[in-house]
């Protein structure tokens, strides 16, 4: 028997045959490809230099007869697919890649920049990240599952990772500036500046599904369960309970819907990696909400006439009123009442303990008034009886606010100088309901909680009027006096 080695440009194999040439056995060797020949040639040291790393030479090489596509799934570590950029990669559980759209090769992003991207991507609060590469700044946008370069249209970014369900976490946003009753146009910006922090939880606070929120409510599913459903039933909607609320989690659109209120929030899916979980237990005793950042006084009551050029809030208010009323003279006075602010924050803490942070429903609204009542409202939050002119629905007591300039103008009484005045106030609706018929004599009870609602609205969808029963749910921010140009 004779052993004959045969070589080809595709493979190397050993053939065992008899003296007549009849094949008895054929044993295939490891593939012998063109890229390996190129690798060995390039790995040879040049004169006065060192040999190139075999691994660095293999990376990015693309034989004409083979594709260079990453694996769609990496359950096993390391990857054994020679055509995948993650082939034999064991340093970390993730790998960031980059390529130009006019080329067909994925290249590994340097370790330092890759770690920067990974840290940002693991944090559910982060929507964008930037890094330097070849003296150029590349900015990446993290949206739902997609990672997209927004600074350079000719570059693509790809993240590969090992592992399955245990490597990902799902997050929901505990609080944001969205409100059930809409602010007047642009007024949400004012709200964001006045109510950005509460009990150590910022408006951009993201909680992992299954973790306890600030209200003490916990979802009856875990983040791992959601990830399992996502990987196996991506088109499904997952229904779960959190306290007294029922939610629908859309795994395709990355949205969480409150079935009772209809409110929709974004959810985010991020790697677990570097994320540091936020403070889980909140101490109410240490709570101290800062005053609005544009206040200049330290205590007491201070009123400051402000100019639109000096204040973003003033500019928003002025532009909105002029868009509704036409050519009018507007004077805006900022009210810095530290006593009312403290009472508002104390009420906020009380309601948070009862119904949770998500149920506070803070909004910036308008309240028309007479010139005689300005001082009482600004200093003590005392509102006169408005049952005769403000309500065509709901209770005959309480304090009314609106998102409509025309309604606030009707609530106000003009003085001798043909002026009318209104307050721009921070209002906390709390637990609310649609107002019953006009003239009812008792605040309706919430049948689930067994206690009265905190406010009433004219309609649950796109409400424009609200009546609040406790003045500590109100903090006047600005007094606006309007006068016609003529």
């Amino acid at each position: 028997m004779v052993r004959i080695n045969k070589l080809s440009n595709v493979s190397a194999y050993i053939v065992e045959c008899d003296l007549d040439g009849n094949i008895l056995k054929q044993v295939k060797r490891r593939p012998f490809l063109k890229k390996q020949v190129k690798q060995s040639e390039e790995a040879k040291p040049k004169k006065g230099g060192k040999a190139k790393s075999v691994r660095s030479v293999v990376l990015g090489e693309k034989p004409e007869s083979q594709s260079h596509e990453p694996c769609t799934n990496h359950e096993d570590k390391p990857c054994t697919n020679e055509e995948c950029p993650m082939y034999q990669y064991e340093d970390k559980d993730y790998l960031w890649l980059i390529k130009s759209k006019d080329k067909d090769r994925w290249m590994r992003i340097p370790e330092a920049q890759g770690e920067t991207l990974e840290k940002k991507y693991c944090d559910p609060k982060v929507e964008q990240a930037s890094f330097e590469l070849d003296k150029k700044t590349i900015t990446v946008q993290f949206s739902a599952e997609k990672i997209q370069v927004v600074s350079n249209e000719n570059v693509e970014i790809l993240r590969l990772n090992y592992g399955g369900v245990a490597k990902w976490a799902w997050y929901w946003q505990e609080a944001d500036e969205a409100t059930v009753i809409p602010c007047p146009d642009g007024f949400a910006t004012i709200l964001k500046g006045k109510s950005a922090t509460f009990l150590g939880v910022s408006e951009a606070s993201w909680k992992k599904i299954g973790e306890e929120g600030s209200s003490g409510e916990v979802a009856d599913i875990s983040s791992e369960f959601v990830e399992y459903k996502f990987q196996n039933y991506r088109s499904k909607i997952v229904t779960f309970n959190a306290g007294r609320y029922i939610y629908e989690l859309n795994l395709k659109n990355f949205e969480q819907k409150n079935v009772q209120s209809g409110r929709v929030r974004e959810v985010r899916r991020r790697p677990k990696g570097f994320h540091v979980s936020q403070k889980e237990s909140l101490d109410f005793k240490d709570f101290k909400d800062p005053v609005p950042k544009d206040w200049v006084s330290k205590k007491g009551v201070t009123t400051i006439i402000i100019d639109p050029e000096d204040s973003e809030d003033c500019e928003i208010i002025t532009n909105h009123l002029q868009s509704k009323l036409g050519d009018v003279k507007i004077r805006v006075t900022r009210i810095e009442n530290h006593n009312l602010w403290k009472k508002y924050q104390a009420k906020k803490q009380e309601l948070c303990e009862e119904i949770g942070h998500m149920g506070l429903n803070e909004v910036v609204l308008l309240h028309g008034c007479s010139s005689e009542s300005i001082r009482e409202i600004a200093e003590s939050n005392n509102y006169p009886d408005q049952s005769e002119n403000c309500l065509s629905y709901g209770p005959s007591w309480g304090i009314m606010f609106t998102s409509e300039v025309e309604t606030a103008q009707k609530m106000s009484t003009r003085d001798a100088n043909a002026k009318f005045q209104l307050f721009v106030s921070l209002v906390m609706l709390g637990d609310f309901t649609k107002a019953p018929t006009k003239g009812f004599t008792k605040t309706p009870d919430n049948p689930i909680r067994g206690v009265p609602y905190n406010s009433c609205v004219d309609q649950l969808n796109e409400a424009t009027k609200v009546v609040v029963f406790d003045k500590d749910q109100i903090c006047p921010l600005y007094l606006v006096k309007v006068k016609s140009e003529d």
Side-chain angles (χ1 to χ4, degrees):
M1 182 177 68
V2 178
R3 294 173 60 91
I4 301 174
N5 288 352
K6 290 189 177 181
L7 298 178
S8 75
N9 63 341
V10 177
S11 63
Y13 55 92
I14 298 174
V15 178
E16 295 182 6
C17 60
D18 58 17
L19 294 175
D20 296 327
N22 299 315
I23 297 176
L24 301 176
K25 185 177 181 182
Q26 179 174 298
V27 181
K28 190 174 181 180
R29 274 182 166 181
R30 183 181 178 184
F32 190 84
L33 303 175
K34 290 182 179 180
K35 71 173 183 180
Q36 288 179 307
V37 176
K38 186 175 181 180
Q39 170 187 327
S40 60
E41 291 176 351
E42 291 186 4
K44 292 179 180 179
K46 297 180 180 180
K47 291 183 179 180
K50 296 182 179 180
K52 289 185 178 181
S53 166
V54 172
R55 189 169 188 174
S56 65
V57 174
V58 172
L59 178 62
E61 292 296 340
K62 181 192 175 186
E64 294 180 1
S65 60
Q66 293 178 300
S67 64
H68 187 71
E69 291 297 326
C71 296
T72 57
N73 190 18
H74 285 105
E75 290 294 335
D76 299 323
K77 181 179 180 179
C79 176
T80 56
N81 176 14
E82 293 186 9
E83 305 312 319
C84 177
M86 214 170 186
Y87 172 63
Q88 295 298 323
Y89 181 75
E90 298 184 73
D91 294 349
K92 299 181 183 297
D93 286 339
Y94 65 87
L95 181 64
W96 288 85
L97 306 172
I98 187 169
K99 79 170 182 177
S100 298
K101 290 185 178 180
D102 56 353
K103 297 182 180 180
D104 201 19
R105 296 185 179 93
W106 288 102
M107 304 300 293
R108 295 178 185 174
I109 292 176
E111 184 176 351
Q113 288 90 330
E115 187 169 309
T116 298
L117 281 175
E118 186 70 9
K119 286 181 178 179
K120 296 290 186 181
Y121 188 44
C122 288
D123 190 340
K125 299 191 299 296
V126 178
E127 297 180 353
Q128 279 192 353
S130 297
F131 65 98
E132 298 289 332
L133 190 65
D134 295 335
K135 298 182 179 180
K136 294 181 180 179
T137 300
I138 299 176
T139 302
V140 181
Q141 176 82 34
F142 306 133
S143 57
E145 237 192 324
K146 190 176 182 181
I147 300 172
Q148 184 177 4
V149 177
V150 295
S151 60
N152 189 333
E153 296 180 355
N154 296 321
V155 175
E156 292 183 58
I157 295 288
L158 179 66
R159 179 187 181 274
L160 300 180
N161 66 274
Y162 291 119
V165 174
K167 301 295 182 180
W168 293 89
W170 287 75
Y171 300 89
W172 57 279
Q173 192 173 16
E174 184 170 34
D176 54 28
E177 66 180 59
T179 50
V180 177
I181 183 171
C183 295
D185 295 342
F187 278 30
T189 303
I190 301 176
L191 169 66
K192 187 174 183 179
K194 304 300 178 294
S195 185
T197 304
F198 179 65
L199 295 177
V201 182
S202 70
E203 291 190 18
S205 173
W206 291 81
K207 290 282 188 180
K208 188 166 73 171
I209 292 178
E211 285 186 354
E212 182 177 329
S214 63
S215 62
E217 296 175 344
V218 181
D220 60 1
I221 59 174
S222 66
S223 173
E224 289 74 17
F225 176 79
V226 176
E227 179 62 18
Y228 171 78
K229 288 289 187 180
F230 176 78
Q231 292 194 20
N232 295 279
Y233 311 97
R234 185 170 300 197
S235 62
K236 297 290 185 180
I237 292 179
V238 178
T239 302
F240 65 95
N241 295 325
R244 59 194 176 97
Y245 295 108
I246 302 174
Y247 294 93
E248 291 180 348
L249 183 59
N250 191 315
L251 302 180
K252 184 177 180 180
N253 299 332
F254 293 86
E255 292 178 344
Q256 173 182 292
K257 179 181 179 180
N258 185 314
V259 175
Q260 287 98 321
S261 68
R263 189 174 189 178
V264 178
R265 295 178 183 271
E266 178 190 2
V267 295
R268 292 180 179 176
R269 176 181 182 258
R270 296 292 174 87
K272 288 186 176 180
F274 290 93
H275 177 64
V276 179
S277 60
Q278 301 177 29
K279 186 177 180 182
E280 295 182 6
S281 60
L282 301 171
D283 191 348
F284 288 94
K285 296 178 181 179
D286 295 335
F287 163 63
K288 194 172 185 180
D289 205 3
V291 298
K293 61 183 179 180
D294 50 358
W295 284 19
V296 296
S297 60
K298 301 297 182 183
K299 59 182 180 179
V301 182
T302 303
T303 56
I304 302 173
I305 298 175
I306 53 178
D307 189 273
E309 296 182 358
D310 300 328
S311 168
E312 181 183 7
D313 289 0
C314 181
E315 182 180 8
I316 292 171
I317 294 169
T318 301
N319 291 342
H320 181 70
L321 292 179
Q322 287 179 339
S323 69
K324 301 294 183 181
L325 301 173
D327 294 331
V328 292
K329 293 181 180 179
I330 297 175
R331 189 179 76 173
V332 180
T333 302
R334 184 169 65 234
I335 303 168
E336 300 180 5
N337 191 322
H338 291 261
N339 184 43
L340 296 185
W341 180 259
K342 289 178 181 179
K343 289 184 177 181
Y344 179 88
Q345 298 304 327
K347 186 65 177 180
K348 188 175 180 179
Q349 177 176 327
E350 176 187 329
L351 287 184
C352 185
E353 290 177 310
E354 293 178 3
I355 60 179
H357 194 190
M358 290 190 298
L360 295 176
N361 297 314
E362 295 181 277
V363 64
V364 177
L365 295 173
L366 310 175
H367 176 86
C369 64
S370 65
S371 56
E372 292 80 14
S373 62
I374 289 176
R375 180 176 293 275
E376 278 292 304
I377 294 174
E379 293 183 353
S380 306
N381 232 3
N382 290 329
Y383 296 80
D385 179 21
Q386 293 184 316
S387 58
E388 294 183 0
N389 66 352
C390 74
L391 293 179
S392 58
Y393 77 98
S396 57
W397 76 98
I399 307 162
M400 178 178 168
F401 288 85
T402 179
S403 60
E404 299 176 328
V405 175
E406 296 80 3
T407 303
Q409 186 176 1
K410 291 178 182 178
M411 294 167 60
S412 175
T413 56
R414 294 179 177 270
D415 61 16
N417 295 319
K419 292 181 181 179
F420 75 90
Q421 45 282 319
L422 55 87
F423 281 92
V424 176
S425 300
L426 183 59
V427 182
M428 182 166 40
L429 305 186
D431 190 15
F432 64 92
T433 187
K434 183 178 179 180
T437 57
K438 180 178 173 63
F440 68 91
T441 58
K442 181 182 177 183
T443 305
D445 287 344
N446 183 321
I448 298 177
R449 296 174 56 216
V451 295
Y453 286 98
N454 304 116
S455 62
C456 290
V457 296
D458 58 342
Q459 51 187 350
L460 294 178
N461 296 322
E462 298 183 1
T464 60
K465 303 179 183 71
V466 58
V467 173
V468 177
F469 308 118
D470 187 338
K471 65 180 183 180
D472 289 342
Q473 292 173 225
I474 306 162
C475 185
L477 301 175
Y478 298 97
L479 170 65
V480 182
K481 292 190 174 182
V482 182
K483 182 180 180 181
S484 302
E485 289 283 3
D486 50 17

